[in-house]
Amino acid sequence: MKILVINAGSSSLKYQLIDMDDESLLAKGLCERIGIDGRLTHKPQNGKPAYEADVPFPTHKEAIEAVLEKLTSAEYGVVDSMSEIGAVGHRVLHGGSEFTESCLVDDACEAAIKKCFPLGPLHNPANLMGIKACQAVMPGTPQVAVFDTSFGMSMAPKAYIYALPYEYYENDSLRRYGFHGTSHRFVSARACELAGKPGTRVINCHLGNGSSVSASIDGKCVDTSMGLTPLAGVPMGTRSGDCDPALLQFIMNKYGFSVDEMLNILNKKSGVLGISGVSSDFRDLDNAAAEGNERARLALDKFAYEVRKYIGSYAAALGGVDVLTFTAGVGENSASMRASICEGLEFLGIKLCPERNKVRGKEALISTDDSSVAVYVIPTNEELMIARDTLSLVQ
Ligand code: ADP
């Protein structure tokens, strides 16, 4: 079966068409500037040329129509007709506490996605728009919602509850949910496969522009660093990660910021960008640090230190660790960051092999043969995970 995977944002829509017979990618692309003007980038993987042009996208519906037109066209297509697409899998940010797994889209599922609008105010409305657009353009094709939060649903109450008055959890569903769940699920499952034994304890470091660390046993989440929102946990490209909540009052009072202004600083101007003043991009920071920029060096050191602390605390939460994994842009590509994070973790049985650690962007063991913890680079593939869930639900 061929499955279309959709990740709809408020003004963009990413897609991949995957042939689940061999899990191969048939085509991928991006619709941008939806509701503004519109631009389509379509990349067939069968040797046909790529297509990139301005295409008017008043709404997500026209974007999906254009995607289907390209997927089935003689010049740029990869399938003969739309009927070859057996199902659509949608990335949905927030499923609240209701979804422990992915689900077929029906009225109840749509209502639940809407109910989570307050918890995912930027993403959930856009994700639902993507679902609605596919329903309009591909009536009768089953749709599946895959939630970024469902991975975190196996956490025990002691891991997800905040030490706040309990009524905020009871009345307002305020708890740790965790994000990057589909990625953590994909990588942890692969780590368990590689370990090949029941009860495998995995710590996965998803380090990209957004970063999070998760702890799992047999692929089931025990704890994860992002919280009610993706702002929590380790510092990121532009997000602060964890910081003393009372600090906000200090800054807001002194500089007269509103709540929205303060959140904008925490989300867009903090993290390694905030510390370095140079960039949110780790390649820029590496270059600046190499040229002697001390704040870029501090930002990289802070990032590595906080990720290392999460690894230590999750080793404690899991009662030990069997596999440590690195994934996403920084995790898959930056040998220096992986080395810096693992420095001093020998006491946990983590020993990186400098030669193996040179790997970039492909699956590889990077620990020494005598390391008691197996350390791997495992490239993430959220789209494939979404397609796998979709296939299993429609079959
Ligand atoms: P997103 O969270 O947006 O999906 P990615 O997972 O694509 O992000 O990661 C983007 C980050 O990966 C950027 O900060 C980029 O600098 C970093 N990155 C990519 N390649 C390298 C590299 N070779 N060395 C260091 N960082 C890298």
Side-chain angles (χ1 to χ4, degrees):
M1 183 187 289
K2 297 179 178 82
I3 290 178
L4 182 61
V5 176
I6 299 284
N7 182 355
S10 56
S11 68
S12 72
L13 184 150
K14 287 187 206 137
Y15 64 92
Q16 285 195 5
L17 186 66
I18 300 176
D19 186 347
M20 294 310 285
D21 290 348
D22 58 359
E23 296 194 333
S24 63
L25 178 66
L26 299 175
K28 63 178 178 180
L30 169 68
C31 304
E32 291 170 283
R33 299 176 63 82
I34 301 171
I36 306 166
D37 36 33
R39 185 157 187 87
L40 173 63
T41 309
H42 170 75
K43 294 181 179 164
Q45 307 291 303
N46 58 357
K48 288 187 180 172
Y51 173 91
E52 190 170 356
D54 292 339
V55 179
F57 295 145
T59 70
H60 287 69
K61 183 165 167 279
E62 289 78 13
I64 296 282
E65 279 169 347
V67 169
L68 290 173
E69 195 272 315
K70 283 289 160 290
L71 287 172
T72 54
S73 80
E75 201 177 349
Y76 304 101
V78 291
V79 289
D80 293 328
S81 82
M82 210 172 84
S83 62
E84 283 184 49
I85 301 172
V88 186
H90 295 267
R91 175 182 187 253
V92 180
L93 182 82
H94 224 301
S97 298
E98 309 196 10
F99 291 102
T100 52
E101 288 177 3
S102 305
C103 75
L104 271 167
V105 174
D106 56 12
D107 291 346
C109 170
E110 282 184 38
I113 294 172
K114 271 194 198 147
K115 202 174 138 198
C116 293
F117 278 6
L119 294 171
L122 298 179
H123 294 83
N124 269 40
N127 300 151
L128 190 58
M129 274 195 276
I131 291 173
K132 289 286 186 199
C134 286
Q135 284 169 337
V137 180
M138 313 168 75
T141 307
Q143 319 270 330
V144 167
V146 177
F147 301 95
D148 227 21
T149 48
S150 62
F151 178 69
M153 287 302 109
S154 54
M155 275 186 281
K158 68 184 172 198
Y160 70 67
I161 201 77
Y162 285 121
L164 294 171
Y166 196 71
E167 66 236 39
Y168 297 119
Y169 168 64
E170 276 189 314
N171 300 340
D172 306 305
S173 310
L174 302 186
R175 52 161 279 181
R176 180 189 302 282
Y177 289 98
F179 298 88
H180 292 145
T182 312
S183 170
H184 284 298
R185 206 147 56 85
F186 180 87
V187 176
S188 314
R190 180 67 190 139
C192 290
E193 243 172 59
L194 290 164
K197 62 167 186 132
T200 300
R201 298 160 297 182
V202 178
I203 297 177
N204 179 39
C205 304
H206 176 115
L207 311 178
N209 194 26
S211 294
S212 62
V213 185
S214 71
S216 62
I217 299 181
D218 282 336
K220 294 259 173 275
C221 176
V222 170
D223 211 336
T224 188
S225 63
M226 283 177 167
L228 173 75
T229 75
L231 187 51
V234 296
M236 311 180 205
T238 63
R239 296 188 197 124
S240 62
D242 299 335
C243 61
D244 182 345
L247 198 139
L248 312 187
Q249 182 204 28
F250 185 92
I251 297 176
M252 288 165 80
N253 282 346
K254 175 151 190 214
Y255 297 99
F257 293 144
S258 66
V259 173
D260 282 353
E261 285 168 331
M262 190 65 238
L263 275 176
N264 190 47
I265 291 169
L266 293 171
N267 273 305
K268 307 246 171 80
K269 298 184 177 166
S270 301
V272 291
L273 168 70
I275 296 176
S276 68
V278 170
S279 174
S280 62
D281 190 301
F282 282 75
R283 284 164 293 199
D284 296 342
L285 294 174
D286 280 340
N287 292 337
E291 286 164 10
N293 185 311
E294 283 181 16
R295 275 172 54 191
R297 169 55 43 216
L298 177 62
L300 291 168
D301 287 350
K302 172 73 176 170
F303 181 81
Y305 179 68
E306 293 299 330
V307 174
R308 192 184 313 135
K309 284 202 313 193
Y310 263 98
I311 293 170
S313 71
Y314 284 172
L318 293 172
V321 50
D322 302 300
V323 186
L324 172 67
T325 48
F326 289 96
T327 195
V330 180
E332 290 168 28
N333 291 298
S334 177
S336 59
M337 183 49 73
R338 292 190 299 254
S340 182
I341 289 167
C342 292
E343 211 178 280
L345 289 182
E346 291 80 8
F347 79 100
L348 278 179
I350 294 172
K351 268 177 145 179
L352 272 202
C353 166
E355 200 49 41
R356 290 175 181 170
N357 186 39
K358 285 181 183 159
V359 70
R360 280 188 57 185
K362 61 175 194 217
E363 185 177 295
L365 179 74
I366 56 169
S367 46
T368 58
D369 290 336
D370 66 343
S371 174
S372 49
V373 175
V375 186
Y376 285 96
V377 170
I378 300 181
T380 192
N381 194 337
E382 292 167 81
E383 290 79 11
L384 182 55
M385 192 78 236
I386 291 172
R388 282 180 186 166
D389 279 10
T390 304
L391 181 70
S392 76
L393 277 165
V394 298
Q395 261 180 350

